[in-house]
Amino acid sequence: MVQKAADLLGGLDIVFSNAGICRFTSFMEVDDENWHRHMDTNLNGGFYVTQTAAKIMIGAGKGGRILFTTSVSAFRSNATQTHYSATKGGLHILALGMAIELGKHGITVNCIAPGWMHTDINDAQSRDDAAVKPWIASHVSIGRLGRPNDLKGAVLFLCSKEAEYVNGATVHVDGGWSAQL
């Protein structure tokens, strides 16, 4: 898929690895299928897509931008996301290692770490006002759940020429959640 995109577009300048799933499941209930599905989608998918893209970018000799969607869950977890958090933490560390290795080729590798964004993954939980409103009041200084559009500014910046010296960074887009202890 990555090679086909490069062929159709005449090369690659930016690759944004954004695939992700989260089946809310307690740690003791995560079975092999659930574990492997999360690893394959969230971590392995990001690895293979970006490794192929990096090879294409290096071959072209023009640098590029690689961006991952991790999560604030890369840095903290909860009782129903242990498996998800492990994959997002893995992406974070993958991006750091890639930034070190690929920087000399003019390729920057960065992450955005969204907080609770109301998306298809968590639509039912996001609509549960009885649970969401108290959580927002105690965790999110902005006072609302995030929306996918809230990520746009960070993505555009990290993929821009203006960010050519930003490498190995993670931008938290979480309404202030990760600022709390």
Side-chain angles (χ1 to χ4, degrees):
M1 169 191 73
V2 176
Q3 185 62 58
K4 185 171 184 167
D7 293 343
L8 288 170
L9 298 170
L12 294 175
D13 301 310
I14 299 166
V15 172
F16 183 12
S17 179
N18 187 45
I21 60 168
C22 181
R23 291 183 186 161
F24 296 91
T25 311
S26 73
F27 170 72
M28 295 303 294
E29 300 299 319
V30 174
D31 60 19
D32 286 347
E33 187 276 331
N34 197 358
W35 175 260
H36 289 288
R37 176 104 190 248
H38 278 78
M39 286 293 166
D40 287 343
T41 302
N42 297 356
L43 184 57
N44 294 340
F47 171 82
Y48 290 113
V49 164
T50 59
Q51 184 187 58
T52 302
K55 289 177 182 179
I56 293 166
M57 290 175 177
I58 290 169
K62 296 188 245 174
R65 304 280 181 272
I66 295 175
L67 183 63
F68 288 99
T69 299
T70 61
S71 171
V72 295
S73 294
F75 308 98
R76 60 179 69 210
S77 191
N78 67 52
T80 62
Q81 289 185 300
T82 304
H83 53 304
Y84 171 80
S85 297
T87 65
K88 294 301 185 171
L91 280 178
H92 172 74
I93 296 301
L94 175 65
L96 294 178
M98 290 171 61
I100 294 166
E101 190 169 336
L102 300 176
K104 66 185 172 200
H105 299 286
I107 301 168
T108 62
V109 183
N110 295 294
C111 301
I112 56 168
W116 188 341
M117 297 284 157
H118 186 162
T119 65
D120 292 344
I121 286 177
N122 60 26
D123 184 60
Q125 294 86 356
S126 297
R127 292 181 187 279
D128 181 359
D129 282 346
V132 171
K133 286 184 178 184
W135 185 87
I136 290 171
S138 64
H139 290 85
V140 184
S141 60
I142 296 297
R144 65 172 172 81
L145 292 182
R147 301 175 197 112
N149 199 44
D150 292 324
L151 302 169
K152 180 172 58 174
V155 170
L156 291 173
F157 170 68
L158 290 171
C159 292
S160 73
K161 179 157 179 48
E162 287 77 13
E164 70 181 8
Y165 200 65
V166 179
N167 193 26
T170 296
V171 176
H172 293 257
V173 185
D174 64 3
W177 179 19
S178 58
Q180 300 180 43
L181 294 176

